[in-house]
Amino acid sequence: MKVFSVLYFVSVATADWTCDDCARASKGLAIFSVNPEAIQAMVDVLTAEVCPSSDDPTICLEEMPRFWEEIARIVFPEHWKHICDDLEECEPPSKTAVPNCPECAARVNAITNALTLDYVIKAYVEMCQDSPSVCENLYPENVDDCKSAIADLLPIALPLLAAQPRDWMDTFCQGWGCTPWDFTTISPLNN
């Protein structure tokens, strides 16, 4: 089931991304977004922005790291699977190069922006509430409260995280091996 509308991605400037490009980007983004440093960076934003206005800031500060880690491990690998939902069907790989850096950044930007869409947030709330790895495992004595916390947190957290600086995209795209682009000549850079 595709979570994201094809129309959302119409404005994304892309070259011919292959199924292989999409699969590698999806896997790479999933790994990149759930590494300990990325999760800690998200927790830092959430504890600074969400916890002060929560019902119990002390508990929020104490619980956010493990709570968010479980949520992130569900949401982000699933989210990045949809990086190429705008492609009707995959073309057989016709090239071995990775898309250029602006194409990579545009596609990653578009899928990151999707974290702010109400229907996407709702899908992730339901997915996290239904996953036993969050509430049943972390809070077996308070499953209902945990599910309520997910319903309260994700509509705030996902848009908040999507609104953060996106300098990580260049790191991801360059680490993935995108081709740098020279905008003065509108062509790939020759290293």
Side-chain angles (χ1 to χ4, degrees):
M1 175 177 89
K2 290 188 176 188
V3 175
F4 306 104
S5 168
V6 171
L7 294 176
Y8 181 74
F9 291 101
V10 168
S11 65
V12 176
T14 63
D16 299 320
W17 275 54
T18 65
C19 290
D20 187 50
D21 294 335
C22 295
R24 284 184 299 136
S26 172
K27 184 177 180 180
L29 282 162
I31 292 167
F32 189 82
S33 63
V34 297
N35 75 57
E37 295 83 16
I39 289 176
Q40 186 59 54
M42 289 184 261
V43 166
D44 291 346
V45 169
L46 296 174
T47 54
E49 299 292 328
V50 174
C51 290
S53 61
S54 71
D55 290 341
D56 191 333
T58 303
I59 290 177
C60 181
L61 290 169
E62 290 171 3
E63 294 298 321
M64 186 66 75
R66 74 182 187 139
F67 189 56
W68 187 256
E69 181 175 2
E70 286 303 317
I71 289 171
R73 291 184 185 285
I74 294 168
V75 170
F76 293 108
E78 176 63 29
H79 189 71
W80 303 129
K81 286 180 188 176
H82 301 281
I83 192 166
C84 290
D85 274 4
D86 61 314
L87 301 179
E88 288 293 321
E89 57 187 64
C90 290
E91 298 293 327
S94 60
K95 59 184 170 117
T96 57
V98 194
N100 68 50
C101 294
E103 291 166 350
C104 177
R107 189 165 285 279
V108 175
N109 243 331
I111 193 70
T112 302
N113 289 342
L115 288 169
T116 66
L117 301 173
D118 289 339
Y119 71 95
V120 171
I121 294 167
K122 183 178 184 222
Y124 290 138
V125 166
E126 291 171 6
M127 187 182 297
C128 290
Q129 288 175 328
D130 292 344
S131 172
S133 69
V134 181
C135 295
E136 285 84 358
N137 287 352
L138 292 178
Y139 307 103
E141 69 290 347
N142 275 329
V143 171
D144 289 338
D145 289 343
C146 174
K147 289 182 177 187
S148 292
I150 290 169
D152 292 341
L153 178 62
L154 264 62
I156 297 167
L158 294 177
L160 178 64
L161 293 172
Q164 297 305 302
R166 298 202 182 164
D167 50 338
W168 63 269
M169 281 187 210
D170 289 336
T171 303
F172 170 76
C173 289
Q174 290 170 7
W176 187 46
C178 68
T179 306
W181 204 255
D182 180 354
F183 289 102
T184 61
T185 63
I186 314 298
S187 62
L189 287 174
N190 295 326
N191 292 336

